[in-house]
């Protein structure tokens, strides 16, 4: 399968998953965003194994995913293509051009997740450039739409299976989430979109999440 992290700023989560799957030594995670590191602020397919597409410019990732899915159809390949977008990213017009193309070519091998937490770096998405109602818009563009609790693993897995069984149309899974969930001082705070915690804040966050300091 192919995976495109269209909201490339969430790269640390992808890096962690890749390290756990053995694509590179987990010790490299400590080099995040340092000069010379393979783990830059956005995924770079030229430097790091396991990255299917370099992303960072919001709106472009879904276009690449549509291209991958269409290529799979034309080449009679069995792989599926997945992409993750942010709800603030939906403010980019390119997203909707890609959405229209995906429906036109009946790309049932394409599934996207929209991380719908209502916040972007500049604040509430409805105040910046309101993309809602997200479900009705994707439905109008010819997509199969599913709405889930983005923090519920069972719902995520079930939605992926439903997408796999949907024919002749792509699937958009709207995952309702809470930004900074599980960390008392981060929840629903747009300021943490691109802010690194101090050592003390990191220790407190890890404790609240049940992890190791």
């Amino acid at each position: 399968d192919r995976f495109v992290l269209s909201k490339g700023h969430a790269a640390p989560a992808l890096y962690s998953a890749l390290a756990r799957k053995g694509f590179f030594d987990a010790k490299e995670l400590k080099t995040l965003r340092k000069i010379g590191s393979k783990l830059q602020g956005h995924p770079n397919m030229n430097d790091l194994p396991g990255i299917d597409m370099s992303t960072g410019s919001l709106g472009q990732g879904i276009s690449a995913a549509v291209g991958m899915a269409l290529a799979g159809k034309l080449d009679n390949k069995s792989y599926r293509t997945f992409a993750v977008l942010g709800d603030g990213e939906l403010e980019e017009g390119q997203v909707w051009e890609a959405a229209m193309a995906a429906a036109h070519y009946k790309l049932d091998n394409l599934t996207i997740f929209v991380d719908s937490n209502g916040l972007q770096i500049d604040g509430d998405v409805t105040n910046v450039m309101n993309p809602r109602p997200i479900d009705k818009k994707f439905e109008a563009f010819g997509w199969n739409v599913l709405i889930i609790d983005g923090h519920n693993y069972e719902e995520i897995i079930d939605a992926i299976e439903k997408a796999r069984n949907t024919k002749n149309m792509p699937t958009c899974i709207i995952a309702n989430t809470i930004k900074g969930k599980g960390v008392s001082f981060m929840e629903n705070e747009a300021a943490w979109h691109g802010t690194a915690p101090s050592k003390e804040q990191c220790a407190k966050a890890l404790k609240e999440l049940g992890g190791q300091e």
Side-chain angles (χ1 to χ4, degrees), residues 134-171:
I134 297 171
D135 55 341
K136 300 301 182 184
K137 287 180 178 175
F138 272 99
E139 286 174 356
F141 272 74
W143 286 57
N144 172 44
V145 177
L146 304 170
I147 301 175
I148 65 170
D149 174 358
H151 301 294
N152 186 310
Y153 293 125
E154 291 183 358
E155 288 191 24
I156 293 172
I157 294 170
D158 181 62
I160 290 174
E161 280 304 305
K162 288 179 178 177
R164 188 184 302 275
N165 293 321
T166 297
K167 304 303 179 184
N168 298 316
M169 60 195 313
T171 294

Side-chain angles (χ1 to χ4, degrees), residues 65-198:
V66 168
M68 292 176 183
L70 181 57
K73 285 283 189 180
L74 295 173
D75 293 337
N76 293 315
K77 300 291 186 180
S78 62
Y79 70 80
R80 299 184 62 80
T81 301
F82 298 87
V84 175
L85 293 79
D87 48 1
E89 183 175 2
L90 302 184
E91 297 162 12
E92 301 284 354
Q94 185 172 346
V95 168
W96 301 105
E97 293 181 50
M100 183 165 53
H104 176 78
Y105 290 110
K106 303 183 187 308
L107 300 182
D108 52 15
N109 58 343
L110 173 65
T111 300
I112 70 168
F113 283 86
V114 175
D115 177 18
S116 183
N117 59 40
L119 296 173
Q120 60 190 104
I121 196 168
D122 290 327
D124 191 309
V125 296
T126 60
N127 294 329
V128 179
M129 183 61 67
N130 192 357
R132 297 175 176 171
I134 297 171
D135 55 341
K136 300 301 182 184
K137 287 180 178 175
F138 272 99
E139 286 174 356
F141 272 74
W143 286 57
N144 172 44
V145 177
L146 304 170
I147 301 175
I148 65 170
D149 174 358
H151 301 294
N152 186 310
Y153 293 125
E154 291 183 358
E155 288 191 24
I156 293 172
I157 294 170
D158 181 62
I160 290 174
E161 280 304 305
K162 288 179 178 177
R164 188 184 302 275
N165 293 321
T166 297
K167 304 303 179 184
N168 298 316
M169 60 195 313
T171 294
C172 170
I173 301 171
I174 300 172
N176 291 319
T177 61
I178 297 172
K179 197 176 191 71
K181 182 176 173 62
V183 180
S184 60
F185 57 92
M186 290 184 177
E187 281 197 5
N188 287 318
E189 291 292 336
W192 286 103
H193 182 94
T195 303
S198 65

Side-chain angles (χ1 to χ4, degrees), residues 4-61:
V4 179
L5 183 64
S6 194
K7 48 174 290 181
H9 53 280
L14 176 58
Y15 296 157
S16 177
L18 291 175
R20 288 176 178 273
K21 296 300 290 185
F23 282 90
F24 57 89
D25 194 320
K27 293 180 180 178
E28 288 192 54
L29 291 172
K30 294 184 177 181
T31 70
L32 176 69
R33 289 190 175 184
K34 292 183 179 180
I35 294 177
S37 172
K38 296 178 181 178
L39 310 181
Q40 291 303 302
H42 294 92
N44 185 345
M45 64 187 294
N46 297 312
D47 290 339
L48 196 67
I51 304 294
D52 289 323
M53 184 63 196
S54 300
T55 53
S57 297
L58 294 181
Q60 295 185 4

